Amino acid sequence: MKNNLFKNFLIFLLIFVVIGSLFSLYNAQNNEPEKIGLGELVTAINNEQVKSVEVSDSELKITMTDDSQKVSRKEPTESLSELLNNYGVAPEKIQKANISIAEDSSASLWMGAILPFLIPLLLIAVFIWFMMRSLQGANNRAMSFGQSGAKLMAQQVKNKTTFADVAGAIEAKLELTEVVEFLKTPKKFLELGARIPKGVLLLGAPGTGKTLLARAVAGEAKVPFFHISGSEFVEMFVGVGASRVRDLFQKAKKSAPCIIFIDEIDAVGRQRGAGLGGSHDEREQTLNQILVEMDGFENETNIIVMAATNRPDVLDPALLRPGRFDRQVIIDMPDLKDREAILAVHAKNKPMEPAVALKTVAQRTPGFSGADLANVLNEAAILAARQNKKTIGLTETLMSIEKVMLGPERKSKIVSDEEKKITAYHEAGHALVAHLLPHADPVHKISIISRGRAAGYTMKLPLEDKQFKTKSEFLDELAVLLAGHTAEQEIFNELTTGASNDLKRATDIARELITVYGMSETMGARTFGKKEEMVFLGKEIHAQRDYSEKVAEAIDKELSKIIEEAQTRAKELITTHRQQLDKIATELLNKETLEKEEFAALFKK
């Protein structure tokens, strides 16, 4: 940064000097006195038109009686008086000319004699200096190529993150609190024979708060905290990553006790033997060095390595064993209570209207991660600001949920009346069957306004978070998914491409019922197929068939049977409650959107 500022300063200075020189040259040419010959000077002295003459070496500066300035030159070996005598000028005329001799100053001598040689030397010296600095910078970069780029977080940081800023994840915070306490007061643990954990691995889906928890540990622990990304170790040259690992741990040992946090450790911790290059693979060399540093011959170093990943399935088994990562902290998706607490944290600096109940927002966001919830409130704030509002209302908050789930509204999209009617009956079919089936999730909203790629949508949300799902719930969900397709066929005697995503999801669920969950009476309580992961030139998942062609044919028949039964159930409900279907579709065509209360009112009537 300083080098760039210095270079820019020199460039601006050079431009200023060039422009100043051009202006000086121009002004000098405009103000240059008139040059006259010796003959004209002699004539002027004889006519008593010269006021004074100043002799400076061979240059004559002449001031006329009208105060005008003129210049002339003479031979440097002959004085002006002798020259005028040779021209026959009378002595009294010479005396009236007031001839004076100017002394040569050291400055003029330096400027005239030394400066023409000094300026090129200075320019050459400056050029050599710049070249040396460039070479020195290249050497420094070459010498620091094997050094780690880990950043040391200052212990006294303003607005640092603590565990109070992390909502939910109670068990994860408890595990990490013990690590922080071990670093603060190791004596009470050591007296009981407990050893300090070597590593803590944070596991969880993207957006669940792994990096946030690491920042909270840095805020809580009064020890140095080094943080680096796993991708910063890997370079195209073999051995550079291992060198950076050694340098990182050397720095950490000097600051022990301390914490090293490696984010996205799967960039270097993938299973060995799956890449190209054999033992000379750069990533494997880096991983080997990490394994040695974490569990080498030096067991007395008080260094805790924290790492985060959302891909524990690809990590090398040697990295996961006790002695390296002693603790594996799993961070699950937040439940209803945790979502409400997370929303409260992100709503602190946002002016929310009293009508906004965070519990209602939490109920509408099952399956959302902490990052998703933060994005919901941020989108709500942006929407309120777009409408020039000073506070965030419930309407903006609920609209932001749909925007995060499905994408922005596409009200400008031109839809024909026929397509609008098809969409209305399609979504009405989903909503009707979901309302009538006992194990389906309740309907919260129906809309025929296009969002993202969907022409319309039916929002169904569970009453409470569930860890398990029953077969009855799966079968009801299949009927709901096929209800839109069935409604189109029953009302218009025609099918459209609008149900393609519903059919794909229904097929996937039916196949999982048979091959994964063992819920098929015909196929029995067993799984079919073995999923294997191939980490070779990228990640590839394929299913290995552990069954015969005859069993595969039976699976296809059972899958078709489940789909047909679900479609039959949906068709019976739509046929029986045709009037309710028409009411829902009509209301959708009139209002475009039906909330939960408006939808329930149609059945009360």
Side-chain angles (χ1 to χ4, degrees):
M1 184 69 181
K2 291 182 179 179
N3 291 337
N4 292 334
L5 289 175
F6 182 69
K7 290 179 181 179
N8 293 335
F9 174 75
L10 286 180
I11 292 173
F12 284 122
L13 181 63
L14 181 62
I15 294 173
F16 176 77
V17 170
V18 171
I19 294 175
S21 302
L22 293 176
F23 274 107
S24 299
L25 181 62
Y26 177 77
N27 291 333
Q29 290 177 353
N30 290 339
N31 299 327
E32 188 177 355
E34 181 184 355
K35 292 182 180 180
I36 61 175
L38 289 176
E40 295 180 23
L41 175 61
V42 170
T43 302
I45 292 175
N46 288 328
N47 296 332
E48 298 183 357
Q49 296 175 348
V50 176
K51 186 176 181 179
S52 64
V53 178
E54 182 180 351
V55 182
S56 177
D57 195 10
S58 62
E59 186 177 355
L60 305 177
K61 296 181 181 179
I62 306 165
T63 304
M64 307 301 289
T65 54
D66 57 357
D67 293 331
S68 61
Q69 299 291 327
K70 297 184 180 181
V71 294
S72 183
R73 298 186 65 84
K74 67 176 185 62
E75 294 182 5
T77 57
E78 188 176 9
S79 66
L80 180 60
S81 301
E82 294 176 354
L83 182 65
L84 293 176
N85 287 327
N86 293 334
Y87 273 95
V89 180
E92 58 273 12
K93 299 288 185 180
I94 297 174
Q95 188 176 2
K96 289 182 179 181
N98 294 324
I99 298 173
S100 60
I101 307 298
E103 296 182 0
D104 291 337
S105 63
S106 58
S108 62
L109 176 64
W110 186 82
M111 294 288 289
I114 301 177
L115 196 61
F117 299 97
L118 185 61
I119 290 177
L121 291 176
L122 288 175
L123 292 176
I124 293 172
V126 170
F127 176 75
I128 294 174
W129 181 71
F130 270 111
M131 291 292 293
M132 293 296 292
R133 279 182 63 88
S134 300
L135 292 175
Q136 185 178 5
N139 290 333
N140 290 336
R141 287 192 295 271
M143 294 298 292
S144 64
F145 196 63
Q147 296 180 4
S148 70
K151 304 171 187 66
L152 177 60
M153 182 173 290
Q155 299 180 33
Q156 304 297 332
V157 180
K158 293 182 179 180
N159 301 324
K160 60 184 179 182
T161 305
T162 62
F163 286 136
D165 300 318
V166 183
I170 298 174
E171 292 79 9
K173 287 194 290 186
L174 180 62
E175 293 277 339
L176 296 175
T177 302
E178 290 181 0
V179 173
V180 173
E181 191 175 355
F182 205 124
L183 290 171
K184 287 183 177 179
T185 57
K187 186 177 179 180
K188 68 177 183 179
F189 294 94
L190 295 175
E191 287 176 350
L192 296 174
R195 64 174 178 83
I196 188 169
K198 288 290 186 68
V200 179
L201 184 62
L202 304 178
L203 308 174
T208 50
K210 300 183 294 296
T211 306
L212 180 64
L213 278 170
R215 287 204 303 266
V217 171
E220 294 283 348
K222 305 298 182 182
V223 295
F225 186 90
F226 296 88
H227 59 101
I228 190 171
S229 172
S231 60
E232 294 184 47
F233 290 113
V234 183
E235 287 283 351
M236 64 180 293
F237 303 108
V238 176
V240 174
S243 174
R244 291 178 178 177
V245 172
R246 288 192 295 269
D247 181 71
L248 172 61
F249 277 86
Q250 285 176 1
K251 292 178 180 177
K253 289 172 185 176
K254 294 177 183 178
S255 304
C258 66
I259 296 175
I260 297 175
F261 175 61
I262 305 175
D263 201 3
E264 304 295 346
I265 194 173
D266 52 279
V268 292
R270 285 176 175 262
Q271 188 169 356
R272 290 169 291 180
L276 297 176
S279 61
H280 297 287
D281 182 47
E282 162 63 4
R283 183 184 54 77
E284 292 190 8
Q285 295 279 22
T286 306
L287 175 58
N288 291 337
Q289 190 64 44
I290 292 176
L291 297 176
V292 171
E293 294 289 347
M294 290 188 68
D295 191 20
F297 286 99
E298 298 181 19
N299 294 321
E300 302 300 325
T301 55
N302 294 335
I303 301 174
I304 294 180
V305 180
M306 290 182 60
T309 181
N310 50 28
R311 295 297 316 281
D313 51 320
V314 301
L315 295 180
D316 193 89
L319 194 65
L320 300 177
R321 73 162 178 82
R324 292 199 174 106
F325 282 106
D326 300 283
R327 294 191 175 187
Q328 297 184 18
V329 181
I330 298 175
I331 307 172
D332 294 320
M333 284 290 189
D335 56 15
L336 177 61
K337 185 178 179 181
D338 290 342
R339 290 198 298 274
E340 186 177 356
I342 292 171
L343 288 168
V345 170
H346 293 295
K348 282 182 180 178
N349 61 343
K350 295 180 175 62
M352 311 292 291
E353 293 181 1
V356 179
L358 296 181
K359 186 174 182 179
T360 303
V361 180
Q363 289 174 343
R364 286 216 174 191
T365 52
F368 275 42
S369 65
D372 293 330
L373 295 172
N375 193 25
V376 165
L377 292 186
N378 185 60
E379 290 290 346
I382 293 173
L383 184 59
R386 194 183 302 166
Q387 297 174 357
N388 298 320
K389 294 181 66 176
K390 300 298 181 182
T391 56
I392 302 172
L394 183 61
T395 304
E396 292 80 27
T397 307
L398 297 181
M399 289 181 66
S400 66
I401 295 174
E402 297 171 18
K403 183 176 181 182
V404 172
M405 290 175 62
L406 302 169
E409 287 186 350
R410 301 169 61 191
K411 291 185 177 180
S412 61
K413 184 179 179 181
I414 300 175
V415 181
S416 64
D417 294 338
E418 182 66 22
E419 288 186 350
K420 197 173 182 181
K421 187 176 180 181
I422 293 173
T423 304
Y425 273 98
H426 181 102
E427 299 303 331
H430 286 310
L432 176 66
V433 175
H435 179 79
L436 295 174
L437 290 176
H439 301 289
D441 294 330
V443 176
H444 276 66
K445 186 175 182 179
I446 320 166
S447 177
I448 58 173
I449 298 174
S450 178
R451 275 187 179 272
R453 295 183 178 181
Y457 58 94
T458 301
M459 184 185 294
K460 308 184 303 299
L461 300 174
L463 295 175
E464 58 184 9
D465 293 331
K466 298 178 181 179
Q467 295 291 332
F468 304 103
K469 202 166 185 177
T470 64
K471 181 180 178 181
S472 299
E473 291 173 341
F474 276 120
L475 295 178
D476 284 1
E477 185 178 355
L478 285 174
V480 173
L481 286 171
L482 296 170
H485 178 270
T486 305
E488 290 182 18
Q489 191 172 19
E490 289 295 314
I491 302 302
F492 303 102
N493 293 321
E494 188 64 78
L495 295 175
T496 66
T497 58
S500 59
N501 187 53
D502 297 333
L503 298 177
K504 181 181 181 302
R505 289 168 57 195
T507 304
D508 292 340
I509 292 173
R511 186 175 296 278
E512 288 178 350
L513 282 174
I514 303 168
T515 62
V516 179
Y517 304 125
M519 293 182 178
S520 170
E521 296 178 0
T522 304
M523 303 306 300
R526 60 158 290 187
T527 61
F528 297 90
K530 182 180 178 182
K531 288 185 178 180
E532 290 187 349
E533 206 168 66
M534 299 293 292
V535 187
F536 182 77
L537 299 180
K539 177 179 175 295
E540 179 183 337
I541 297 179
H542 73 282
Q544 179 183 354
R545 290 179 56 175
D546 55 359
Y547 48 88
S548 64
E549 290 292 336
K550 186 177 180 180
V551 174
E553 185 178 351
I555 291 174
D556 290 339
K557 288 182 179 179
E558 184 67 10
L559 190 149
S560 300
K561 177 185 173 183
I562 293 174
I563 295 291
E564 288 174 4
E565 289 178 353
Q567 191 170 14
T568 302
R569 293 179 68 197
K571 183 176 180 180
E572 289 176 356
L573 292 173
I574 289 172
T575 305
T576 306
H577 300 83
R578 173 63 185 271
Q579 287 185 339
Q580 296 294 337
L581 181 71
D582 293 335
K583 283 183 180 180
I584 299 170
T586 303
E587 287 294 315
L588 282 174
L589 289 171
N590 292 333
K591 298 181 178 180
E592 292 188 334
T593 300
L594 291 178
E595 292 291 342
K596 179 180 179 180
E597 294 77 12
E598 295 174 314
F599 175 71
L602 295 177
F603 289 89
K604 289 179 181 179
K605 293 179 182 179

